[in-house]
Amino acid sequence: MFRTALRNVLAHKARLLMTVLAVMLGVAFVSGTLVFTDTFGTAYKNKSARSFDHVSVAIEPDGRAGPGEDGGTSTPRLTEALVRKAAALPGARSALGSVNGFTALAGKDGKLVGGDWGSRGANYYPDAKGNDPRWAFVGGKAPATADEVALDSRTAAHTGFRVGDTVRFSTNGSVTKAKVSGVFDTDEGNVLAGGSLVLFDNVTALRVLGDGEYDEIDVKAAPGTSQSTLLRSVRGILPRDTEARTGAALSAEQDRVIEQETSSTSQVLLIFAGIALFVGIFIIANTFTMLVAQRTRELALLRAVGASRRQVTRSVLTEAFLIGLVAAVAGGVLGIGVAVLLQTLLKAGGAGLPEGPLVLAPRTVLVSLLIGVGVTMAAAWLPGRRAARIPPVAAMNSVHAAPSVRGLVVRNTLGSLVVALGTVLLFTDDNYVVSAGAGIVMVGVIILTPLLARPFAAAAAPLLRLFGVAGRLARLNAVRNPRRTASTASALMIGLTLITAMTVVATSTSGAIDRMAADSLKADYTVSMANYEDLSPQVAKTVAGLPEVTASSPVRTAFGEVGGTPRRLSGIDPKSFGSLVDLDLDSGSLQDLRGAAVLVDRETAAERGLRTGDDVTVTFDDDGGRARLRVAGVYRPNDLLNGVYVPTSVIDPHLSRITDEKVLVRTRGGASDTAEDTLVKALGSNPALKIQDRAAISGEIGGAIDMLLKMLYGLLAMAVLIAVLGVVNTLAMSVFERRHEIGMLRAIGLDRAKVKRMVRLESVAISLFGAVLGVALGLFLGWVAGGSISRDVPTYRMDVPVTRLLVFLASAAVVGVLAALWPARGAARLDPLQAIKTE
């Protein structure tokens, strides 16, 4: 039977090509997704990674600072004296202090280099010979004074800065100029991922990045001293609230953290790989069902000459194994190209993916082989069993063709029950249960697609009649085998369902954010650091002094407890705050937010039983101090305005260091290019600052949603492509199956043009059937998902992107036309006499 299966595969090369194509595409997407996942994960690891080659033991704050003598928290002090003390320990070869932080470098165009989160600065800590083992200079020299900086070689090449050029940068809101003293190479993950790194001399770095202290002290062991031995020595000099760990332990922890950070991304991408594979299963099963149906007499003859049912089934499975093996290898290779294409498309769409080499892991090769062979054999098993159960005499007389009505009744009943179960789950409060319900509803609709095929064909009949005989024949062909039509359309439906649902949710969420910004903010601009770190209070003073500014207020963040409940506290200017925001107040007034007053959100008020006019004790984390405040009002929070608001006069005395989160600004005449230009120039054209109007704020959040949507489009596009090629596959094999019928039509007068038109219309009908089902189901699931979102986002309402949905439907029609090109051409070229003789 193996030799029979092998000869059968080699004897039908065209059939092999079509089947391999169906399997190969499914494997290619899985392989491509795995390659893309591994590549993205490795690049992200490189972005977040740091080298521990020069670290035997590291001294760091342990993050568990306890109460100090003043009642506040004691802060570990990693000073230069501690560095020298560590270097003098027995078994220590050297020690260096490390400090780093956000450093916004302006390019020659004045814009921020390295991105909001990728712009960093660090110190150059020279040893006795004047070298820092972390940095390898390829030009110039290390910075030695406050007027000098060094740039990494990638940033220097990207910006065009050379040794001797003057650059502008900012670390805390004020702009500084310095001369480029040198250029260095580094394997810092942040730089490899597209960020920038600026080196300062050690004294300057401590002043602008570390407030006079180091973030970490790295001790290098002398030859012959182990990390564990050195660790014991270091522990003897540790100040309170610090800890020491070996370089090996730090490296292992870093790997664990990065693995956790990338695992969620990997899981999401693999879900889409599973979706593509699920789509591919429909195509594979459809293909083998048709292959077995076309070879029924051949298989029956094997039964007649003595082959058992098991042998017939085994023959089909052997054929599936060979086809799956070839397809798996081809799909695995194609998957590499898919990963490269996916990266290119996402970057072209604006997705900020980290750079990195393409990664082909052994796991990817193994999974590709297992999926290609396993899925193909699983899809071929039922058709093989069905063929083996046909009595030889019945099969040879072709009396087996019609599927049983009872089977369809059972299928429709099962599908209805599955849809009902999924619908019930959709209306629960648990998001995981709702997600499961959505998947169950989709499976139920897939089961019901044969039942839905006839009503759709009946609805499309008036339109198809416009094309005459070819249109009527196309309609009959589309519903001749409802199961086949349903299987082909379902593959396309799955992709369009997910695309439609995500488009509806993304469009509605973007609209909700726009409405939230318009409803919540009266301020024309917000000023913040580009990476949203602490902002110098000088920025608020500078802005407030501009004649064009009519109102402004800092938003100064602290943490503490309100009536014993931990809360974030925001200090604001009570005189101008009411003219800068539009809070949804349940009670009270912003005008009462003066003196010893507090404005609380609805959640805090409910937890502590607070009402407007009540007194509440607020405890501040920084110094442990307390204040007795009057509740000025209760408001309904949102993503832009939330937490507890108190006057800056109340919060400032309890802060160890006064910094702002952002500054709200209102200008005379509202937001305009002139007003924004005035703010930019007044703040020194600072690359570290982000000045945004309401449209930019909502656009930034909406941009992240659009980027995610583009990524999802890219992933689902592969599943849709598989479904489209499944239409080609089904039509081509259907034409082969109906050679005799097409020959008869040609013989009684149907010309080639009408034969082509018949196949094209059949393809369009199947494609539109899947598209209509997908769009309708996607709208329903998008509406259900919106119900969950609206509970957390009051401004959310379902916005139907009619234009995009029409584009989806029009694209499905175009897909139908393109998918039919080859099958239609093959049908038209059939010789009528030869086709009539076909059995």
Side-chain angles (χ1 to χ4, degrees), residues 101 103-107 112-115 117-124 134-143 148-163 165 167 169 179-200 355:
T103 302
L105 175 69
L112 178 65
V113 176
W117 305 97
S119 302
R120 306 297 297 173
N123 66 320
Y124 185 87
R134 298 172 296 176
W135 322 116
F137 276 78
V138 295
K141 61 183 181 64
E148 295 179 336
V149 295
L151 303 180
D152 70 89
S153 56
R154 289 172 178 260
T155 298
H158 174 67
T159 58
F161 286 128
R162 298 181 180 179
V163 175
D165 289 348
V167 296
F169 64 88
K179 183 177 292 186
V180 178
S181 65
V183 176
F184 61 94
D185 279 340
T186 177
D187 60 356
E188 283 285 313
N190 179 67
V191 174
L192 296 177
S196 63
L197 184 61
V198 178
L199 287 188
F200 302 93
E355 299 287 345

Side-chain angles (χ1 to χ4, degrees), residues 449-525:
T449 42
L451 177 65
L452 301 173
R454 291 188 182 277
F456 177 83
L463 183 61
L464 292 173
R465 287 197 194 100
L466 298 176
F467 297 92
V469 174
R472 289 194 292 272
L473 289 173
R475 183 182 68 84
L476 294 173
N477 288 335
V479 296
R480 173 186 297 184
N481 191 327
R483 290 178 177 174
R484 181 184 303 171
T485 299
S487 181
T488 306
S490 293
L492 189 59
M493 181 200 76
I494 294 168
L496 283 176
T497 295
L498 297 174
I499 287 175
T500 300
M502 288 186 298
T503 301
V504 168
V505 171
T507 302
S508 302
T509 302
S510 295
I513 293 168
D514 290 339
R515 288 187 289 273
M516 186 185 299
D519 295 344
S520 301
L521 292 178
K522 294 179 184 178
D524 297 315
Y525 295 99

